[in-house]
Amino acid sequence: MEYRLLGQTGLEVSVIGLGCNNFGGMIESLDLEGARKVVHAALDAGITLFDTSDSYGTDGGSEKALGEILGPRRHDIVLATKFASPLNPEKSSRFNASRAYIMKAVEDSLRRLKTTYIDLYQYHFPDPMTPMEETLRALDDLVRQGKVRYIGCSNFSAWQIIDADWISRHYGLHRFQTIQAEYSLLSRQAATELFPAMRRIGMTLLPYFPLASGLLTGKYRKGKPIPQGTRMSLPYFKPGLNEANLERVEKLIAFAEARGHTILELAIGWLLSQPIVTSVLIGATKPEQVQANVRSMGWRLTAEEMAELEKI
Ligand code: NAP
């Protein structure tokens, strides 16, 4: 395993992180035993970053599963979770980052995760109603209280991270160190405006959907039946298997194979060849997937290869 620093902190994390949104009954509903196998495969492979959210699974199901499975091994890893997304959208659909909401949300997450501290507490989606200063002051208090070690954000635009960073610096508050954004060979928009803003303030990226929900593993091929029991066979995800994406996947497979690699090695290697990326967050439904993903992390692309990929 290889490790990189998180944002401008002294905290090292594995370059492959385990995404835990499959745990606890939401997207692909892994039961506790299924989640246990995946978590243990990750620990055995040297993965130290585990990413979840209070909103993953039913009633905090992903956090509960992680708390249950990790036990004392919690202290061997870097635990990242998120707040602000509605837990029960039928009751309230508000994205909430008010002080009152955060103070309760953090206690609930700590209880579910069976821990006294969260390593990286991330603001999941921007709440347009709460002033950024209020959120940052509440988060700063949590860091000072020792309940949270570092803070990050997710799904923010370029202007929002610059605004937040200015407020933190102006008032001497802890700053967001990382951002989560969708970023993969099939979804590269973040590079246009977000990356220059991140470089300006020293934030690093935790890319999500790095395998485009499995499209970049090579198991979905043009003209071939969709493998059953996979994420892309679910109605919500199926539109991603469109002509344009499948064409691009075929071109990416050809690019990788011409250089003696797989598309999985290309998908992960392309991300890790960019210094702005700290750790690639990958979800898994089986331990073998975790092992395959870790085995596929070694390719560092040349500048020429990166430039060629711009055209695909
Ligand atoms: P992903 O990594 O692109 O796709 C994961 C899915 O691909 C797995 O569930 C598995 O599904 C399949 N897969 C993984 N490895 C494979 C392999 N080696 N071979 C074949 N199939 C493989 O997307 P993701 O897991 O949804 O996203 C990663 C993480 O990012 C999440 O878990 C979460 O922690 C985070 N995230 C954050 C946000 C945010 O708003 N901040 C949003 C989304 C996700 P099947 O087995 O069903 O095919």
Side-chain angles (χ1 to χ4, degrees), residues 19 21 28 51 154-155 180 211 213 219 231 283 285 289 293:
N21 64 354
E28 291 167 300
D51 179 68
S154 162
N155 301 303
Q180 288 198 15
L211 304 181
S213 289
K219 66 183 176 186
R231 184 184 291 183
T285 55
Q289 291 178 347
N293 297 337

Side-chain angles (χ1 to χ4, degrees), residues 18-22 27-28 51-52 56 82 124-125 154-155 180-181 207-215 217 219-220 229-232 237 264 281-286 288-290 292-293:
L18 184 71
C20 300
N21 64 354
N22 292 334
I27 300 184
E28 291 167 300
D51 179 68
T52 184
Y56 293 167
K82 314 186 191 77
H124 202 168
F125 282 93
S154 162
N155 301 303
Q180 288 198 15
Y208 70 74
F209 290 154
L211 304 181
S213 289
L215 255 170
T217 65
K219 66 183 176 186
Y220 307 98
T230 58
R231 184 184 291 183
M232 296 304 277
F237 289 93
L264 185 60
L281 301 176
I282 316 181
T285 55
K286 300 176 189 72
E288 297 76 29
Q289 291 178 347
V290 178
N293 297 337

Side-chain angles (χ1 to χ4, degrees), residues 96-121:
N96 199 329
S98 65
R99 170 174 284 272
Y101 183 91
I102 290 174
M103 292 301 166
K104 178 168 183 330
V106 75
E107 298 300 338
D108 291 345
S109 286
L110 290 170
R111 194 184 60 253
R112 285 188 291 259
L113 289 163
K114 296 187 195 248
T115 185
T116 53
Y117 64 96
I118 292 161
D119 295 283
L120 181 67
Y121 200 37

Side-chain angles (χ1 to χ4, degrees), residues 264-280:
L264 185 60
E265 289 170 331
L266 175 62
I268 299 174
W270 177 77
L271 288 166
L272 290 177
S273 299
Q274 304 178 55
I276 202 158
V277 173
T278 288
S279 181
V280 181

Side-chain angles (χ1 to χ4, degrees), residues 29 32 40 55 127 153 161-162 189 226 236-237 262 274 298:
S29 191
L32 187 63
H40 281 281
S55 60
D127 163 11
C153 64
I161 61 170
I162 296 291
Q189 297 87 323
I226 304 169
Y236 179 82
F237 289 93
T262 64
Q274 304 178 55

Side-chain angles (χ1 to χ4, degrees), residues 7 153 161 176-179 198-199 201-205 276:
C153 64
I161 61 170
F176 291 132
Q177 298 292 342
T178 52
I179 181 165
M198 289 168 63
R199 287 192 191 97
I201 56 182
M203 273 171 100
T204 58
L205 182 74
I276 202 158

